[in-house]
Amino acid sequence: MNNLSLLMDGFATILTWNHLMIMVIGVMLGMLVGVLPGLGAPNGVSLLLPLTFTMDPVSAIILLSCMYWGALFGGSTTSILFNIPGEPSSVATTFDGYPMARNGEATRALTLAFMSAGLGALAGVVMITLLANWVAQFGLKFSSPEYFAVYFLAFCSFIGMSSSAPSKTLVSMMLGLAFATVGMDSVSGGLRLTFGIPDLVKGISFLVAVMGLFGIAELMVTTEEGLSFNGIKSRIRIKDILRTMAELPRYWVSLVRSILIGIWMGITPAGPTAASFMSHGLAKRFSRHPERFGKGEPNGIVSPEAADHSAGTSALLPMLALGVPGSATAAVMMGGLMIWGLTPGPMLFVTRPDFVWGLIASMYLGNVVAVILVLATVPLYASILRVPFAIIGPVIVAVIFTGVYQVANSTFDFWLLLFFALLGYLFKKLDYPVAPLVLTMVLGHRAEEAFRQSMVMSDGSLTVFWSNSLVTTIMGLGVLMLVWPLISKLVGLRGWRQRLHRQKPQTHEPSTPDSRH
Amino acid sequence: MTHNGISRYTMEIATALLTGAIGMAICYGAWQVGTGWTPSGPDSGYFPFWIGILIVAGSLVNLLRTVIGHRHKDETFLDAARLRSLARFTLPIIGFAIVSLLLGLYVGTTLYVLFAMRLQGHYAWWKSLASGIAISICFYLLFELVFQVPLLKGPLEHAFGIY
Amino acid sequence: MYTLKPLCTHQLRPLALFFAALTVSGSALAWQPDRPVEFVVTSGAGGGTDTFARTVQSIIGKHQLMDESIIVSNKGGGSGAEGYVYSASSKDDPYKLTFGTNNEYLLPEVGDMPYAADDLQPVAAMAMDEFLIWVNGDADYASAKEFIDAAKQNPGKMQFAGSQSKDTDQTLVSMIEEATGTEFRYVPFNGGSQALVQLAGGHVDANVNNPNENLGQWQAGMIKPLCVFSPEQLPKGEPVHEGKGWGDIPTCQSQGIDIAEYRMPRTVWLPAGASEEAVTYYQDLLKKVSETPEWKDYVTRTVQTSQFLSGDELKQYIDDNASTVKKVFEQEGWSAS
């Protein structure tokens, strides 16, 4: 209860016109940064840092955190409209968001994404308000073996239900792992797989890969099919937005599941990207209609978005409760804290309650402001799609190139981009799945690092992954996820589960009779 | 090759060879840094090496499935018309990359938008050029002035004293 | 080299001349930046080097020590190698001021890096960051002596967490092993904050983080310092936890670990070939920065030792520092060549 009254004090601190203005500016700048593929949230926040040097800490953190929310929302926008994830964590949103937009329902896709993202973020803040200390202590239980187990679980939840040939899935998955290992190996302290190319020292940027595999490759397929986004010329009406909002409660199962996954992954620093992949994977696995995923299934948009934002919000918890960054963006904010003269750490709650609770209150308000602002921009974004392809196509390509350059100011990345574009195009046309490549590229390196750290700790003994109840449980869950399709077939769980949570069939889609019954 | 363009059979083989080659390069790179299992766990190249092996193996399966199974022999990957529109899209992009390397991203963007609009949309020269310049200026205002992230510049900008 | 001056500088020229006439040292005029200066930061955003560079940036901005604007770019890939490679590749360019630590000359020693230590020239060292031995707040050891004794009982079992591999942290742990005849197990993590979490969670026995990385958690009593690797005790300051402050931490030497000093310099570099005038310009600029109250505040807050080195003094320091560390590298068999 004490927390609640402190929170009220926080609201009292931030509810001034000045702070509201800062929120709006922060969110709008963030949206811009999120939409531009190369900038991204951590960059955007560090670009704003110099501006905050002269501000008081509360206003400064409001500006930075609101920019972060804005960037998270902006990242999903381009995923849905152009198949270009503005942020790594919105890659999973492209899987169903882009197909839905291509089916002429851009407004619906955007509204679904923004609303579920907002709900996810709010759930994250509520968790921070009520359980900050307990959750932070729980987070401390995680060491390298547990990290590896979490990555393993995320991996197992996503992999396994692909319609492609297994050998193609294998190649795609392994390529992602291989690309992730290029560069500095932090466990041995040496370089590997750089083949003497200086530009590979920093590794292969995930963003460059994604912009090639998704952005340019998609444009190549689109041009080949005749230079247009199919049927996105539908009119945008406020009614569409409202109707989609009313549709949201239907996906409550996915929402709750994804929010839990997001909070979990945000605290154990697997991060928003892993969370969004995992919850998209699970939504598909537990769906009655897994075959609809990848073709514009609403649950496939709601899940990754809710997970992404609840993870993104929870990632600020380690910063507040422990004084350690839970994500790249949190790291920048902590750097800011130090420059403003604050010491991040558990004692911040005691020494500067006005700052901490002001920040938490601004998370509530900032996210509401962000949802309103992004919803207001839906018609604007959707109207971009009515610009002729011969104009918008080149603009997208130019934006991608500037984005690629901004990642590391390296012109070598142009060639990497073209390579990934070619790979993405070939994969798409020859039925290789791209998602496993992207997932393993995100998780592979960190999983390997955690694995090798565990080996150093345990003297090279694999039993470390069964050494305590926590790590055993997570590993067990991972294995369960891996064999789930098999089990459900064997035991006939499918029918049982369907009776358990029956979801209304989607009105807009042709209701395909379920052939299994 | 079929009569009207590239067959999918060819492309399946080419892609399998490409991924196989990447796999081999990775094995080689991993072999350079050591692929063993030391007392304190796997060496730097241990995982990459086996990843490389799996890529080669997977590519081999893909290759054999295609060749032995005579899969996709009659499917067309790209017919002549599609190849042309694809070329109209990709060639300017490759040009964009090269021009940007030499003359910077602003000149690259202007020229790229100009040619892409001409080739794909058949817009008038002046419209295409105006769009190209307008987009470059937008980038300049947005990146250099608002966000203060410098984009790649070339001799032309330097001549105007913009760095 | 840059014969084409932007218009605005031409207009500012008379003004600059006027001010130059006012200043006593005419050398500052010899070279002036006439376009934005890029601060290349060899760590990710939020890292120690990043805070260092951004503090310098904020001080320059606040006191208007430079007319041109500053662009900060983070290039922390490959333990900072990304940033050094980036600067090394722009030979002669006086607009790429690179911020780092002693890893500039240590990275090429252990790994086959695509740059050499002489590809950059040192401009200044501005502060020395301290190293301490930290253990979990609930650990039984009351002193470093007890900690080392415990380690001697279990050779090779006690775990040190640290940032990166074959970098400053692991070097120090090797030096402790050498000095005390014990054996530890070193677990490399991706940055000091991870090493901290592992210690606070009780998964490892100790770490050698810098004061700034662990201050907040010491305040909360999650971890505690045992000794500091500086020749004398740190200056007295406000108490941090249970009445103890930085000044109360004994030196490691007094605790029987025979390492008189182990510090990490916060350094600034320019690409090799940048003119001497440019180097002098930045030296003067950074010197001015180091004399501001804001800089002193930063150094105090992050518990570093302010020490401005440039010119021959700096070269001497780097030579000494490099040879000390190289000895450890050779002992451990890490040297690349």
Side-chain angles (χ1 to χ4, degrees):
Chain A
M1 272 302 114
N2 193 23
N3 276 5
L4 283 185
S5 70
L6 284 165
L7 179 65
M8 287 307 138
D9 290 346
F11 272 113
T13 317
I14 61 158
L15 271 177
T16 63
W17 285 115
N18 189 13
H19 284 153
L20 282 177
M21 268 283 289
I22 291 176
M23 262 179 221
V24 172
I25 293 172
V27 168
M28 302 222 309
L29 281 174
M31 277 155 57
L32 195 58
V33 162
V35 166
L36 297 167
L39 285 173
N43 275 329
V45 172
S46 53
L47 290 171
L48 270 192
L49 257 188
L51 275 184
T52 65
F53 291 159
T54 50
M55 295 165 94
D56 76 289
V58 177
S59 313
I61 194 75
I62 291 178
L63 179 67
L64 295 193
S65 61
C66 284
M67 173 143 196
Y68 180 41
W69 314 134
L72 288 178
F73 281 105
S76 341
T77 314
T78 43
S79 295
I80 289 171
L81 295 183
F82 306 118
N83 208 30
I84 307 166
E87 298 277 322
S89 57
S90 30
V91 171
T93 310
T94 60
F95 300 156
D96 281 287
Y98 181 67
M100 185 186 273
R102 281 200 64 149
N103 295 342
E105 294 185 299
T107 312
R108 180 161 172 243
L110 288 170
T111 311
L112 276 177
F114 294 152
M115 286 307 292
S116 45
L119 286 174
L122 281 181
V125 200
V126 169
M127 186 275 302
I128 289 183
T129 318
L130 300 177
L131 300 172
N133 254 321
W134 184 81
V135 173
Q137 291 307 317
F138 179 67
L140 278 182
K141 287 199 176 21
F142 281 70
S143 184
S144 304
E146 287 81 10
Y147 286 157
F148 176 76
V150 170
Y151 296 133
F152 178 74
L153 173 62
F155 190 73
C156 294
S157 327
F158 190 78
I159 297 298
M161 288 184 35
S162 165
S163 52
S164 315
S167 57
K168 286 183 172 174
T169 311
L170 177 78
V171 166
S172 166
M173 208 190 299
M174 291 298 139
L175 279 176
L177 284 174
F179 295 140
T181 54
V182 174
M184 176 65 84
D185 168 27
S186 67
V187 180
S188 78
L191 295 173
R192 58 179 174 181
L193 300 178
T194 55
F195 303 102
I197 302 169
D199 291 276
L200 282 180
V201 169
K202 61 182 188 297
I204 296 177
S205 160
F206 176 72
L207 272 171
V208 174
V210 161
M211 283 188 255
L213 288 169
F214 287 79
I216 299 216
E218 182 59 40
L219 288 175
M220 283 166 78
V221 176
T222 310
T223 13
E224 201 191 295
E225 283 163 5
L227 289 178
S228 71
F229 288 104
N230 308 352
I232 317 193
K233 300 219 160 84
S234 62
R235 282 179 53 204
I236 288 90
R237 286 166 308 189
I238 303 297
K239 218 176 89 191
D240 289 338
I241 298 179
L242 295 177
R243 208 179 46 216
T244 312
M245 285 163 76
E247 178 190 335
L248 208 62
R250 232 183 277 164
Y251 314 117
W252 70 272
V253 180
S254 292
L255 271 171
V256 171
R257 189 199 307 116
S258 307
I259 284 169
L260 290 178
I261 293 171
I263 290 175
W264 161 270
M265 298 298 254
I267 299 159
T268 66
T273 314
S276 54
F277 272 103
M278 187 172 161
S279 74
H280 186 274
L282 287 184
K284 182 174 171 186
R285 186 149 304 178
F286 292 127
S287 166
R288 268 202 307 160
H289 303 286
E291 72 285 349
R292 285 187 192 160
F293 280 78
K295 292 169 193 144
E297 161 69 31
N299 278 305
I301 300 174
V302 168
S303 302
E305 279 298 310
D308 173 7
H309 284 243
S310 54
T313 317
S314 325
L316 291 187
L317 184 133
M319 172 176 108
L320 286 173
L322 296 175
V324 294
S327 67
T329 317
V332 185
M333 290 188 197
M334 272 183 53
L337 250 61
M338 287 185 223
I339 294 175
W340 308 325
L342 301 175
T343 306
M347 297 311 280
L348 204 56
F349 275 95
V350 181
T351 52
R352 288 298 299 272
D354 60 322
F355 174 81
V356 174
W357 289 101
L359 168 60
I360 295 178
S362 85
M363 290 175 163
Y364 283 96
L365 215 53
N367 271 301
V368 175
V369 170
V371 172
I372 296 170
L373 282 178
V374 284
L375 281 178
T377 55
V378 167
L380 173 77
Y381 286 129
S383 69
I384 293 177
L385 294 176
R386 276 177 291 178
V387 177
F389 182 81
I391 296 174
I392 202 74
V395 173
I396 295 172
V397 172
V399 169
I400 288 178
F401 267 78
T402 56
V404 164
Y405 182 73
Q406 282 155 11
V407 168
N409 300 11
S410 159
T411 46
F412 178 78
D413 285 348
F414 290 161
W415 304 117
L416 272 182
L417 174 75
L418 294 181
F419 165 75
F420 279 110
L422 174 71
L423 200 66
Y425 173 74
L426 290 174
F427 273 24
K428 218 175 159 66
K429 297 236 5 184
L430 300 175
D431 293 328
Y432 283 71
V434 184
L437 192 161
V438 185
L439 177 74
T440 52
M441 204 167 164
V442 178
L443 293 184
H445 184 53
R446 288 193 284 171
E448 188 206 352
E449 213 173 76
F451 181 83
R452 287 169 63 194
Q453 280 160 359
S454 313
M455 290 293 102
V456 175
M457 289 170 148
S458 72
D459 253 339
S461 159
L462 288 169
T463 50
V464 71
F465 299 114
W466 290 268
S467 60
N468 64 51
S469 55
L470 181 62
V471 68
T472 313
T473 313
I474 307 173
M475 289 298 279
L477 275 176
V479 174
L480 187 70
M481 283 304 139
L482 204 59
V483 294
W484 181 261
L486 211 69
I487 296 176
S488 61
K489 241 180 225 152
L490 280 181
V491 194
L493 276 173
R494 246 168 213 293
W496 169 74
R497 215 179 54 252
Q498 266 170 34
R499 281 192 299 276
L500 245 184
H501 54 92
R502 201 173 280 276
Q503 290 188 347
K504 281 180 208 160
Q506 316 310 320
T507 44
H508 64 284
E509 271 171 352
S511 47
T512 42
D514 204 333
S515 53
R516 279 182 298 263
H517 293 276
Chain B
M1 284 281 184
T2 48
H3 294 295
N4 49 354
I6 307 165
S7 78
R8 176 157 174 182
Y9 181 76
T10 319
M11 288 314 288
E12 287 276 358
I13 292 174
T15 307
L17 290 177
L18 172 72
T19 55
I22 297 173
M24 278 195 254
I26 284 157
C27 286
Y28 172 71
W31 173 75
Q32 282 180 316
V33 289
T35 57
W37 187 287
T38 63
S40 58
D43 230 341
S44 190
Y46 178 85
F47 283 112
F49 181 76
W50 289 104
I51 289 167
I53 294 284
L54 282 174
I55 296 175
V56 174
S59 309
L60 208 61
V61 173
N62 288 337
L63 185 70
L64 294 178
R65 265 166 54 100
T66 314
V67 175
I68 295 176
H70 295 283
R71 281 163 190 263
H72 313 298
K73 265 222 148 130
D74 308 321
E75 280 176 61
T76 315
F77 183 82
L78 265 181
D79 58 31
R82 286 180 164 222
L83 184 63
R84 252 197 307 278
S85 58
L86 188 65
R88 268 203 295 270
F89 177 72
T90 45
L91 290 180
I93 292 184
I94 294 168
F96 183 17
I98 295 169
V99 172
S100 296
L101 281 184
L102 302 174
L103 300 174
L105 265 169
Y106 291 106
V107 179
T109 301
T110 311
L111 292 179
Y112 168 69
V113 172
L114 162 67
F115 281 103
M117 280 179 69
R118 266 306 289 172
L119 282 174
Q120 289 164 30
H122 308 289
Y123 287 93
W125 279 105
W126 70 269
K127 270 189 194 161
S128 310
L129 184 66
S131 312
I133 293 173
I135 287 163
S136 281
I137 291 174
C138 283
F139 281 173
Y140 183 81
L141 295 176
L142 190 61
F143 293 120
E144 311 272 341
L145 297 186
V146 177
F147 287 117
Q148 299 230 315
V149 273
L151 292 184
L152 186 65
K153 295 179 201 72
L156 186 69
E157 289 90 350
H158 292 194
F160 282 109
I162 302 169
Y163 288 94
Chain C
M1 282 206 352
Y2 293 96
T3 43
L4 295 160
K5 303 260 186 241
L7 261 174
C8 60
T9 336
H10 281 301
Q11 287 153 356
L12 285 175
R13 230 327 117 76
L15 206 66
L17 278 171
F18 173 71
F19 279 113
L22 286 180
T23 50
V24 188
S25 71
S27 66
L29 180 70
W31 186 87
Q32 283 254 9
D34 56 12
R35 57 186 171 91
V37 177
E38 184 176 0
F39 279 17
V40 182
V41 177
T42 57
S43 83
T49 305
D50 185 54
T51 315
F52 166 44
R54 286 182 196 276
T55 305
V56 172
Q57 179 201 16
S58 76
I59 292 174
I60 292 177
K62 190 166 179 192
H63 292 269
Q64 296 173 341
L65 299 175
M66 192 165 76
D67 293 332
E68 291 294 334
S69 59
I70 295 164
I71 294 155
V72 180
S73 49
N74 288 96
K75 300 198 178 298
S79 304
E82 181 191 356
Y84 295 122
V85 171
Y86 175 74
S87 301
S89 66
S90 353
K91 208 169 173 301
D92 308 338
D93 186 350
Y95 291 94
K96 288 202 164 49
L97 203 62
T98 309
F99 288 73
T101 62
N102 51 0
N103 58 358
E104 194 277 338
Y105 45 90
L106 298 186
L107 278 170
E109 285 297 322
V110 282
D112 199 7
M113 290 293 154
Y115 81 96
D118 334 328
D119 287 347
L120 288 99
Q121 50 177 327
V123 175
M126 297 186 67
M128 297 288 163
D129 211 347
E130 308 287 350
F131 286 83
L132 296 94
I133 295 183
W134 299 87
V135 291
N136 188 288
D138 298 328
D140 299 329
Y141 328 111
S143 69
K145 210 175 262 151
E146 284 181 42
F147 174 74
I148 296 292
D149 287 342
K152 281 182 178 157
Q153 302 292 315
N154 305 297
K157 291 276 181 261
M158 303 259 280
Q159 302 189 340
F160 260 101
S163 167
Q164 313 297 349
S165 188
K166 297 175 191 166
D167 206 344
T168 45
D169 287 6
Q170 196 175 4
T171 307
L172 177 56
V173 173
S174 300
M175 286 168 75
I176 300 172
E177 287 178 335
E178 184 70 16
T180 58
T182 43
E183 219 180 297
F184 293 104
R185 186 177 296 165
Y186 178 83
V187 191
F189 287 91
N190 215 340
S193 65
Q194 276 192 29
L196 163 70
V197 176
Q198 294 302 308
L199 182 61
H203 304 290
V204 294
D205 299 291
N207 72 28
V208 287
N209 273 2
N210 307 118
N212 185 38
E213 291 174 312
N214 286 11
L215 169 60
Q217 292 70 30
W218 183 25
Q219 277 181 347
M222 294 160 79
I223 51 165
K224 61 184 179 191
L226 292 182
C227 69
V228 58
F229 291 95
S230 64
E232 57 241 28
Q233 279 171 286
L234 299 173
K236 275 243 177 267
E238 287 180 23
V240 178
H241 182 65
E242 289 179 349
K244 277 189 164 182
W246 294 106
D248 301 313
I249 305 167
T251 65
C252 290
Q253 204 165 24
S254 74
Q255 294 286 306
I257 303 171
D258 195 19
I259 301 168
E261 185 182 342
Y262 190 82
R263 288 165 159 177
M264 182 169 71
R266 298 264 172 228
T267 54
V268 184
W269 305 76
L270 273 178
S275 69
E276 226 163 278
E277 288 81 18
V279 175
T280 317
Y281 170 82
Y282 288 117
Q283 268 168 11
D284 291 348
L285 176 73
L286 295 172
K287 179 91 187 140
K288 277 181 214 149
V289 168
S290 74
E291 283 157 1
T292 58
E294 286 84 2
W295 177 258
K296 298 216 165 69
D297 190 41
Y298 157 75
V299 170
T300 319
R301 203 152 24 85
T302 53
V303 202
Q304 303 186 58
T305 308
S306 184
Q307 190 173 4
F308 191 87
L309 295 175
S310 61
D312 290 336
E313 240 182 338
L314 176 60
K315 290 203 176 79
Q316 187 60 45
Y317 173 83
I318 290 175
D319 283 347
D320 291 348
N321 185 246
S323 68
T324 315
V325 181
K326 270 181 210 167
K327 222 182 288 160
V328 180
F329 287 178
E330 271 155 30
Q331 265 165 20
E332 299 287 329
W334 297 341
S335 296
S337 45

